[in-house]
Amino acid sequence: MTPAELLAASREPNTAAFLRVIRACEGTAGDNGYRMLFGGELVTSLADHPRRLVIKSGYRSTAAGAYQFLERTWDQVVRDRGIPDFTPPMQD
C-alpha cells in the first residue's frame, strides 16, 4: 500500500476506532500523543522518528509517537511503505 492508501485506510471507522484503542493503551491518547517519547517527554519535530534512546525506571527504549514505534520498527515501515515523515497522519 502507498502512504495515501494507508492514510485512507486509517480513516475507516473500524480502523480509526482500533487506533484509538492502541493509543489509549500506550498512554498517548491526549493531544500530545503523537509527540511523546517513552517516559513522557515531548519532541518538537516530527520530520522523522526522534531516534532518542530514553532510559527510565530501568528500561531502555527508542519508543516514540502515538503508537510508541521503536526506531528499528519505524525504519522498516519507512523502507517498506515509503513513509515520508513522522507526522500524525503518517503514524496512523
Side-chain angles (χ1 to χ4, degrees):
M1 295 180 95
T2 67
E5 291 169 329
L6 291 168
L7 181 59
S10 74
R11 293 183 175 149
E12 293 176 1
N14 287 340
T15 304
F18 183 65
L19 292 175
R20 284 192 302 274
V21 168
I22 294 171
R23 288 186 66 194
C25 293
E26 291 291 353
T28 59
D31 292 340
N32 290 320
Y34 289 96
R35 301 184 314 118
M36 191 171 294
L37 293 173
F38 166 74
E41 186 179 341
L42 301 178
V43 296
T44 56
S45 174
L46 294 176
D48 190 14
H49 188 286
R51 304 179 186 291
R52 288 192 37 210
L53 177 64
V54 176
I55 302 169
K56 186 165 184 158
S57 301
Y59 295 98
R60 302 166 49 94
S61 182
T62 60
Y67 309 99
Q68 294 293 282
F69 288 103
L70 296 176
E71 179 181 1
R72 68 180 179 265
T73 303
W74 185 255
D75 289 346
Q76 186 66 50
V77 172
V78 168
R79 278 191 298 276
D80 290 351
R81 301 291 177 211
I83 302 297
D85 54 42
F86 200 61
T87 58
M90 295 299 106
Q91 289 183 46
D92 286 347

